[in-house]
């Protein structure tokens, strides 16, 4: 009853009318006095409201169309990830790499017959374990590259646990079959010991023997990828606003920030307003990741694309969202940036584990 409430408040030294607002502390005292259970909620931030809405959006079955699989190459350094991808794409990136070590995340989408496949090649050096872990997050299928002359090595083991944690199917490419010291049986044995029992030994892991030099097995590897993809029926809704992940980004002197994004769902378009971590922008231009001279108007699901238009370089691994209103995007980005600054000043470092990352 109003009068009982007013009496209690008077006892707390507050003379209030029936329309008054109470501060949280007074409300708590009042409720305690009347035996009422009170929960105080902060108003939801625009970040939570808008982005949760997007995350929670369920696509109608009739909107879901087949999309290309996103395939990540994982494995020990020097086992041939970059070379195999070069062979598939018909490029030669490996011979131009500093110290033969991949510094950038490469991501391409290629036509294979009727179908498309998106490939992500991650830096293979141990120092980039975290980045590699992130690579598996956007992944539908992990191709584990194991050099047949070297067998399972420490980073192979890491890659196996990353792929298992991500819950994605694993295809093994037993590479360097052309090398005289190749010992495929030993490698298969080691893989079995790590819980990857080859199909030829009665298990469920497809193993393809390859050589990035002679090209042996490359077509079979592609067929195996497409078969795995058919079984899993990867789908997305190309008619919604895009969501996806920033693979990497850098400040380029001539065209500002260039961000490599991969679209998980929806279609990214030139002119779209995007927020990604603590950065935002309007997509100014999009370029094919294989041929930077090809400008794209649209990037459908599973497409990696180089994007200009961000105010600053977003961090690798951040999710991006397309919003209707650039003011909202700016507000979310600025809020996150100031939160990052606070955390930074407070001396906290925010380290994201692979499991957290998976959960995003
Ligand atoms: P990554 O670190 O896993 O990306 O490995 P790279 O693709 O950089 O390959 C490391 C080295 O192994 C390079 O010198 C390649 O030329 C060589 N290599 C890769 N695949 C093969 C292969 O199938 N056969 C032979 N003989 N050499 C290979
Ligand atoms: Mg490499």
């Amino acid at each position: 009853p109003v009068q009982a409430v007013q009496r209690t408040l008077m006892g707390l030294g507050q003379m209030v009318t029936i329309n008054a607002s109470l501060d949280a502390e007074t409300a708590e005292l009042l409720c305690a006095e009347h035996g009422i259970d009170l929960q105080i909620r902060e108003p939801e931030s625009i970040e939570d409201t808008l982005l949760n809405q997007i995350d929670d959006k369920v696509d109608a079955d009739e909107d879901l169309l087949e999309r290309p699989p996103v395939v990540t190459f994982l494995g020990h350094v020097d086992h041939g990830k970059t070379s195999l991808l070069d062979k598939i794409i018909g490029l030669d990136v490996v011979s131009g790499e500093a110290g033969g070590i991949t510094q950038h995340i490469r991501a391409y989408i290629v036509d294979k017959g009727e179908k498309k496949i998106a490939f992500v090649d991650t830096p293979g050096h141990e120092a980039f374990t975290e980045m590699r872990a992130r690579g598996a997050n956007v992944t539908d299928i992990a191709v584990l590259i194991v050099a047949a002359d070297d067998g399972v090595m420490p980073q192979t083991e890491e890659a196996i646990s990353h792929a298992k944690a991500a819950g994605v199917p694993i295809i093994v490419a037993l590479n360097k079959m052309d090398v005289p010291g190749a010992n495929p049986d030993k490698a298969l044995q080691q893989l079995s010991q790590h819980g990857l029992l080859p199909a030829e030994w009665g298990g469920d892991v497809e193993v393809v023997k390859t050589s990035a030099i002679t090209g042996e097995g490359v077509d079979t590897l592609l067929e195996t990828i497409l078969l795995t993809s058919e079984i899993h029926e990867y789908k997305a809704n190309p008619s919604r606003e895009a969501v996806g992940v920033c693979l990497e980004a850098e400040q380029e002197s001539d065209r500002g920030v260039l961000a490599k994004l991969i679209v998980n769902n929806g279609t990214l378009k030139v002119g779209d307003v995007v927020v990604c971590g603590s950065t935002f922008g309007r997509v100014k231009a999009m370029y094919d990741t294989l041929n930077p001279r090809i400008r794209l108007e649209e990037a459908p699901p599973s497409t990696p694309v180089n994007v200009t238009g961000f105010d600053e370089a977003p961090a690798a691994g951040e999710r991006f969202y397309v919003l209707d209103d650039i003011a909202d995007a700016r507000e979310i980005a600025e809020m996150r940036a100031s939160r990052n600054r606070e955390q930074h000043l407070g001396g906290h470092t925010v380290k994201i584990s692979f499991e957290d990352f998976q959960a995003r």
Side-chain angles (χ1 to χ4, degrees):
V2 176
Q3 263 145 32
V5 169
Q6 283 177 322
R7 210 176 304 123
T8 310
L9 288 172
M10 219 184 292
L12 295 170
Q14 298 209 22
M15 304 286 281
V16 294
T17 65
I18 195 165
N19 297 321
S21 309
L22 302 179
D23 60 38
E25 198 187 339
T26 309
E28 273 177 335
L29 289 169
L30 176 66
C31 288
E33 191 67 26
H34 290 269
I36 293 166
D37 189 21
L38 176 74
Q39 285 179 4
I40 294 179
R41 293 212 191 113
E42 296 295 325
E44 284 211 325
S45 68
I46 157 173
E47 176 185 14
D48 293 333
T49 332
L50 279 180
L51 302 192
N52 288 349
Q53 233 169 45
I54 296 174
D55 282 334
D56 293 346
K57 197 162 160 185
V58 181
D59 296 302
D61 272 349
E62 63 265 27
D63 292 334
L64 288 172
L65 302 181
E66 188 183 329
R67 66 169 175 85
V70 180
V71 176
T72 299
F73 280 15
L74 299 171
H76 196 72
V77 66
D78 275 354
H79 280 197
K81 297 179 293 295
T82 303
S83 307
L84 260 183
L85 186 54
D86 278 0
K87 194 76 188 173
I88 289 170
I89 314 273
L91 275 180
D92 182 12
V93 167
V94 74
S95 56
E97 287 184 342
I101 291 173
T102 306
Q103 313 283 349
H104 292 279
I105 291 192
R106 299 162 67 201
Y108 307 118
I109 190 157
V110 293
D111 286 305
K112 283 297 154 195
E114 310 254 285
K115 307 278 183 177
K116 286 175 186 285
I117 307 176
F119 290 97
V120 179
D121 174 28
T122 53
H125 194 268
E126 212 167 15
F128 295 117
T129 306
E130 204 173 342
M131 277 253 266
R132 203 168 55 226
R134 290 174 177 200
N137 179 59
V138 295
T139 298
D140 299 309
I141 300 169
V143 173
L144 181 70
I145 307 220
V146 184
D149 60 339
D150 210 15
V152 170
M153 298 299 279
Q155 288 169 22
T156 318
E157 292 175 356
E158 280 173 34
I160 293 172
S161 55
H162 288 329
K164 282 188 177 165
V168 295
I170 302 173
I171 298 169
V172 173
L174 210 48
N175 192 38
K176 303 204 184 183
M177 285 300 292
D178 61 296
V179 174
N183 188 347
D185 281 342
K186 186 177 162 210
L188 292 180
Q189 189 90 49
Q190 292 171 325
L191 286 166
S192 311
Q193 281 160 5
H194 286 85
L196 299 180
L197 192 63
E200 61 183 280
W201 290 4
D204 57 1
V205 177
E206 294 299 333
V207 178
V208 185
K209 297 187 171 105
T210 61
S211 163
I213 303 297
T214 67
E216 173 195 344
V218 169
D219 286 339
T220 316
L221 178 61
L222 292 172
E223 282 161 25
T224 310
I225 291 169
L226 288 175
L227 216 68
T228 307
S229 163
E230 261 169 44
I231 294 167
H232 286 82
E233 296 188 323
Y234 303 111
K235 289 189 170 168
N237 173 6
S239 53
R240 62 174 278 172
E241 333 63 63
V243 290
V245 175
C246 171
L247 295 172
E248 65 177 9
E250 56 193 3
Q251 183 77 44
E252 295 212 328
S253 46
D254 50 342
R255 48 183 171 180
V257 172
L258 190 67
K260 186 174 292 167
L261 308 181
I262 187 160
V263 179
N264 290 145
N265 199 2
T267 296
L268 186 65
K269 300 183 179 125
V270 170
D272 276 350
V273 169
V274 185
V275 63
C276 185
S278 52
T279 64
F280 75 103
R282 193 184 284 280
V283 176
K284 207 163 120 198
M286 296 199 288
Y287 303 89
D288 186 71
T289 52
L290 203 51
N291 184 347
R293 278 182 297 271
I294 299 180
R295 284 179 77 137
L296 302 171
E297 289 302 311
E298 294 194 340
S302 302
T303 309
V305 66
N306 286 324
V307 171
T308 63
F310 280 104
D311 62 332
E312 286 170 52
E318 289 285 4
R319 288 187 61 80
F320 76 80
Y321 296 85
V322 168
L323 301 178
D324 291 334
D325 191 343
I326 194 137
D328 292 340
R330 177 184 287 116
E331 188 176 336
I332 292 172
E334 283 173 356
M335 210 168 68
R336 286 169 163 182
S338 78
R339 199 164 56 209
N340 290 349
R341 272 193 302 276
E342 274 167 31
Q343 280 168 344
H344 198 68
L345 291 175
H348 302 292
T349 49
V350 187
K351 198 168 181 321
I352 294 170
S353 72
F354 183 66
E355 283 68 31
D356 289 344
F357 196 79
Q358 286 302 118
R360 282 186 177 190

